[in-house]
């Protein structure tokens, strides 16, 4: 198959688009693969569709190899199934909602768990029908608050989502492992480095959860790994808490005046200057208990103020605290929030008061109080005394105060111990390219998916969910396989197998190119032919570099001698060969 560049619907650009932040966004627009329609929404041009289709084909082949079967659901879905599962409200503002002319509620699906579940419920009723894994490749929609980075975070994107259905937990484990293996084959064929990390399932629900991350400095995810093999998304990292401390002989807490010490840094400085009994090396931020006031907006719209206590040398991690309080939305408490709770003395908040009241008890403030796992029973802290310009020293957890719960909300740092004992962790950035998790029976229970077991008894089906971001992968590959001149697609997904460029004013180059292309066609190669007669060699070479076909062949200066130049965009190597030898090399 030959595509002539003179007829191809494409225009390359020399300048980066003004709104592009990352390389993939810049190059995919400049090379004529996509065009912006609105923030986070893109039109797909012929070149972009060719690459996207090749990625999808690899995914389909490996899904089929794993025993999955393809289906296709509409993007426009009715409200009722999502209301049954609870996600009509859970998704919040991220959901595109709309009404038809009759006033009925619809949505543009962000995922299709409900549709898959109801389809199987409609058709299957016996354990003999299972196991089953079905998948689709479909566009999804999420109303991102800040769409950015081109295809990496858009409002419309293409995903492969697969769902397994089993009558037992053992069956789910087998289905999960089959999909996990398929994902490894997919990313290996795509030439992508990946790391499999423990993950949080988020709004999707479920238990066992793993993400496939592509390590990259522009990734929006932070993950940790240890030399001993532990890996986890930072949201799923669990703190290795110290053992409780025997504080039976600890002195009673003491309150000291500490004027103007509204930050951890000023508190530590004041403590070392004015408070006796400092440990060897002096007081540090790690000796303090920082109390952060947060506001939760629940699904019913109600707003709740909570306080999180954590070591003063740590900060609250936005993503980790969102997971801790999901599905509520989390934000820092506002001055209005604080004004409604006069017991919270800004800059001097603590879990302790002069009467010994616990912050989580109604007798104190009525505000729930949570602590970091490092705040173990018997540990002593410097913290606010809930009064202006005062702090308390030696406040012991479990003796002087208790909490309403323990949450993972603090930042993770280089050198923190892995929870499995495999050593200290390092932090890296990564981009999510796949996510697999065991949904269990959440959706089957809410939507009534049951089958008869071997004994004729109704049992609830257990499910797994497996997603791959097709368009996100394309952007990730564009980031990975490119240089300052343009894209360099891997052979497996390049829009064409070979890009032939004819240059010069004479007819010899075009005749030689035509002879070469005839041989390539007979060998079944997909060829892009730059046949533009009045375009300079410089422009043709510039277009060839940015379009990204990895194998270029130039018919130009050596045409009279029957020679062409082979140009490998991946290595940069160039070699001049007779036509017959070049054809043999390209079709081997």
């Amino acid at each position: 198959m030959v595509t002539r560049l003179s007829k191809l619907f494409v225009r390359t650009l020399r300048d980066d688009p003004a709104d592009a932040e990352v390389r993939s966004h810049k190059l995919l627009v400049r090379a004529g693969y996509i065009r912006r329609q609105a923030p986070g929404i893109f039109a797909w041009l012929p070149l972009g569709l060719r690459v996207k289709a090749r990625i999808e084909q690899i995914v389909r082949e490996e899904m089929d190899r794993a025993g999955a079967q393809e289906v296709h659901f509409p993007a426009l879905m009715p409200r009722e199934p999502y209301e049954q599962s609870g996600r009509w409200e859970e998704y919040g503002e991220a959901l595109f909602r709309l009404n038809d002319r009759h006033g009925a509620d619809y949505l543009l699906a962000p995922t299709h768990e409900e549709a898959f579940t109801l389809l199987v419920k409609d058709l299957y009723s016996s354990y003999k029908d299972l196991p089953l894994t079905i998948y689709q490749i479909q566009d999804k929609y999420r109303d991102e608050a800040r769409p950015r980075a081109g295809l990496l975070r858009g409002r419309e994107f293409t995903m492969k989502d697969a769902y397994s259905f089993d009558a037992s937990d053992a069956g789910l484990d087998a289905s999960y492992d089959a999909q996990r293996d398929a994902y490894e084959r997919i990313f290996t064929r795509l030439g992508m480095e990946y790391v499999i990390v423990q993950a949080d399932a988020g709004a999707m629900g479920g238990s066992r959860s793993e993400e496939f991350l592509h390590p990259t400095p522009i990734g929006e995810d932070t993950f940790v790994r240890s030399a001993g093999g532990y890996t986890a998304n930072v949201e799923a990292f669990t703190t290795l808490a110290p053992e409780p401390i025997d504080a039976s002989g600890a002195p009673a807490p003491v309150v000291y005046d500490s004027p103007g010490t509204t930050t951890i840094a000023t508190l530590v400085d004041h403590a070392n200057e004015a408070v006796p009994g400092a440990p060897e090396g002096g007081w540090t931020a790690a000796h303090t208990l920082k109390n952060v006031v947060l506001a939760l907006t629940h699904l019913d719209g109600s707003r709740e103020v909570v306080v999180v206590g954590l070591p003063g040398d740590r900060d609250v991690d936005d993503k980790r605290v969102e997971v801790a309080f999901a599905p509520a939305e989390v934000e820092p408490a506002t001055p209005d929030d604080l004004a409604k709770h006069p017991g919270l003395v800004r800059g001097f908040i603590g879990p302790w008061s002069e009467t010994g009241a616990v912050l989580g008890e109604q007798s104190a403030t009525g505000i729930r109080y949570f602590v970091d796992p490092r705040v173990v029973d018997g540990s002593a802290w410097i913290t606010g005394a809930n009064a202006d310009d005062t702090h308390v020293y030696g406040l012991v957890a479990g003796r002087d105060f208790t909490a309403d719960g323990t949450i993972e909300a603090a930042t993770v740092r280089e050198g923190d111990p892995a929870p499995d004992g495999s050593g200290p962790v390092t932090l890296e950035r990564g981009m999510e390219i796949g996510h697999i998790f065991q949904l269990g029976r959440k959706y089957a229970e809410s939507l009534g998916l049951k089958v008869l077991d071997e004994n004729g008894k109704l049992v609830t089906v257990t499910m797994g969910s497996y997603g791959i971001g097709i368009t996100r992968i394309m952007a990730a590959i564009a980031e990975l396989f490119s240089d300052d001149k343009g894209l360099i697609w891997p052979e497996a997904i390049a829009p064409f197998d070979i890009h032939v460029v004819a240059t010069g004013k004479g007819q010899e180059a075009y005749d030689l190119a035509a002879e070469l292309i005839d041989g390539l066609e007979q060998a079944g190669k997909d060829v892009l032919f730059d046949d533009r007669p009045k375009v300079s060699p410089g422009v043709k070479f510039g277009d060839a570099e940015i379009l990204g076909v990895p194998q270029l062949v130039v018919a130009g200066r050596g045409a009279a001698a029957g020679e062409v130049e082979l140009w490998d965009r991946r290595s940069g190597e160039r070699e001049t060969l007779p036509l017959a030898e070049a054809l043999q090399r390209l079709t081997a």
Side-chain angles (χ1 to χ4, degrees):
M1 177 72 180
V2 178
T3 299
R4 294 179 177 271
L5 193 53
S6 62
K7 303 297 183 183
L8 182 64
F9 184 56
V10 63
R11 284 291 183 273
T12 58
L13 306 175
R14 299 305 167 207
D15 297 320
D16 293 334
D19 62 331
E21 304 172 11
V22 297
R23 175 181 283 182
S24 60
H25 188 186
K26 296 172 184 177
L27 291 179
L28 290 172
V29 172
R30 285 183 53 205
Y33 284 73
I34 60 174
R35 295 290 289 180
R36 180 184 183 274
Q37 305 298 292
I41 303 173
F42 294 89
W44 288 82
L45 280 63
L47 286 173
L49 285 175
R50 291 177 75 97
V51 172
K52 182 167 170 279
R54 290 196 170 191
I55 295 172
E56 291 174 356
Q57 184 58 31
I58 290 173
V59 172
R60 283 191 172 95
E61 289 172 4
E62 295 303 337
M63 285 295 101
D64 294 347
R65 181 179 169 186
Q69 302 175 64
E70 187 172 6
V71 297
H72 190 82
F73 289 100
L76 181 66
M77 297 293 294
R79 170 178 178 166
E80 287 75 18
Y82 290 82
E83 198 163 48
Q84 280 182 265
S85 67
R87 294 204 301 165
W88 177 262
E89 297 297 337
E90 283 181 15
Y91 256 106
E93 294 181 353
L95 199 64
F96 278 106
R97 297 174 171 85
L98 64 156
N99 301 106
D100 68 8
R101 66 180 66 194
H102 305 294
D105 289 321
Y106 287 82
L107 57 88
L108 294 177
T111 58
H112 282 83
E113 281 86 351
E114 291 82 358
F116 276 89
T117 304
L118 290 174
L119 179 64
V120 176
K121 177 184 177 182
D122 185 41
L123 297 176
Y124 279 1
S125 59
S126 169
Y127 76 96
K128 296 178 182 179
D129 298 321
L130 305 178
L132 169 72
T133 300
I134 50 180
Y135 75 97
Q136 68 169 345
I137 296 177
Q138 167 65 300
D139 291 342
K140 311 289 186 183
Y141 300 86
R142 291 177 191 167
D143 192 2
E144 291 281 356
R146 292 173 295 277
R148 62 178 183 85
L151 300 180
L152 293 177
R153 184 174 289 277
R155 290 176 170 173
E156 179 186 65
F157 51 95
T158 304
M159 276 190 65
K160 185 283 301 178
D161 47 337
Y163 297 87
S164 62
F165 301 84
D166 288 275
S168 67
D169 291 339
L172 173 57
D173 288 339
S175 296
Y176 184 94
D177 289 340
Q179 287 294 307
R180 194 179 194 271
D181 291 344
Y183 274 44
E184 294 204 62
R185 294 194 300 269
I186 288 168
F187 296 125
T188 298
R189 288 181 62 181
L190 291 172
M192 299 189 73
E193 180 186 359
Y194 63 89
V195 179
I196 305 175
V197 303
Q198 295 179 29
D200 177 75
M204 310 290 280
S207 53
R208 185 179 175 189
S209 175
E210 294 177 297
E211 283 181 352
F212 286 72
L213 298 182
H214 168 61
T216 172
I218 69 163
E220 73 276 25
D221 291 310
T222 301
F223 69 95
V224 302
R225 54 177 158 186
S226 70
Y230 173 81
T231 57
N233 193 308
V234 72
E235 292 98 304
F237 179 82
T238 53
T239 302
L240 190 60
E243 292 294 323
I245 300 169
D246 180 5
S248 56
V254 179
V255 175
Y256 286 92
D257 291 335
S258 50
T261 57
T262 56
T263 67
I264 296 296
T266 56
L267 172 61
V268 170
D269 289 343
H270 177 270
N272 285 312
E273 291 174 3
V275 178
E280 185 177 351
W283 304 108
T284 69
H287 295 109
T288 68
L289 183 64
K290 178 190 297 184
N291 294 288
V292 180
V293 187
L294 302 171
L296 311 182
T297 302
H298 296 286
L299 294 178
D300 61 3
S302 62
R303 190 174 179 88
E304 179 191 8
V305 170
V306 299
V307 178
V308 175
L310 66 160
D313 60 342
R314 304 270 175 167
D315 292 317
V316 167
D317 182 290
D318 290 343
K319 288 189 174 182
R320 283 168 61 78
V321 78
E322 285 174 5
V323 169
F325 288 114
E329 295 182 5
V330 186
E331 62 180 324
T334 65
D336 286 344
D337 292 321
L338 294 173
K340 295 174 182 177
H341 299 279
L344 299 176
V345 182
R346 189 170 184 175
F348 302 92
I349 297 170
W352 181 83
S353 71
E354 291 183 0
T355 61
V358 176
L359 196 62
E361 293 180 356
Q362 195 64 37
S363 60
T365 64
I367 297 173
R368 290 192 294 164
Y369 183 68
F370 299 89
V371 292
D372 181 84
R374 299 170 187 84
V375 185
V376 296
D377 284 355
S379 57
W381 303 91
I382 305 170
T383 191
N386 295 318
D388 282 327
D389 295 331
T390 56
H391 281 86
V392 59
Y393 287 69
L395 192 73
V396 175
R399 184 194 71 181
D400 303 319
F401 72 95
T402 58
D404 294 290
T406 300
I407 65 168
E408 296 281 359
T411 52
V412 181
R413 293 197 305 230
E414 293 266 347
D416 282 346
D420 65 351
S422 60
V425 300
T426 58
L427 271 67
E428 299 181 44
R429 301 293 292 176
M431 178 190 304
E432 182 185 342
I433 52 178
H435 192 177
I436 59 176
F437 43 95
Q438 295 185 347
L439 287 174
R441 295 173 174 81
K442 173 181 177 179
Y443 292 94
E445 286 178 349
S446 63
L447 298 169
L449 174 56
K450 298 177 184 291
V451 295
L452 294 172
D453 67 9
E454 299 95 325
N455 301 314
K457 180 182 177 181
L458 278 175
V459 294
T460 302
V461 170
T462 185
M463 296 169 55
S465 177
Y466 319 95
I468 285 181
I470 301 293
T471 45
R472 172 177 281 254
I473 284 175
M474 181 170 164
I477 293 174
E479 292 282 343
L480 181 63
F481 296 94
S482 59
D483 59 19
D484 293 338
K485 296 178 181 179
L487 299 161
I488 312 173
W489 295 111
E491 286 185 3
I493 64 166
F496 299 94
D497 298 322
I498 299 165
H499 185 165
V500 177
V501 179
T503 65
K505 298 180 180 179
Q507 188 60 34
E508 296 94 340
Y510 291 88
D511 291 341
L512 188 64
E515 188 177 349
L516 171 69
I517 289 168
D518 184 59
L520 294 172
E521 265 199 296
Q522 291 182 34
K525 298 296 183 181
D526 203 358
V527 181
L528 175 63
F529 178 30
D530 192 343
D531 62 334
R532 295 174 294 177
K534 296 182 180 180
V535 177
S536 71
V539 171
K540 288 188 175 184
F541 294 152
D543 285 345
E545 288 173 327
I546 198 169
L547 291 180
V549 178
Q551 185 66 65
L552 304 174
V553 185
V554 179
R557 287 179 296 182
E563 294 179 334
V564 295
E565 183 180 35
L566 269 59
W567 181 4
D568 191 326
R569 273 284 282 135
R570 295 157 296 190
S571 65
E573 295 178 358
R574 303 189 186 196
E575 185 178 5
T576 299
L577 296 172
L579 177 64
E581 188 176 342
L583 189 57
Q584 183 179 16
R585 180 87 61 85
L586 293 168
T587 57

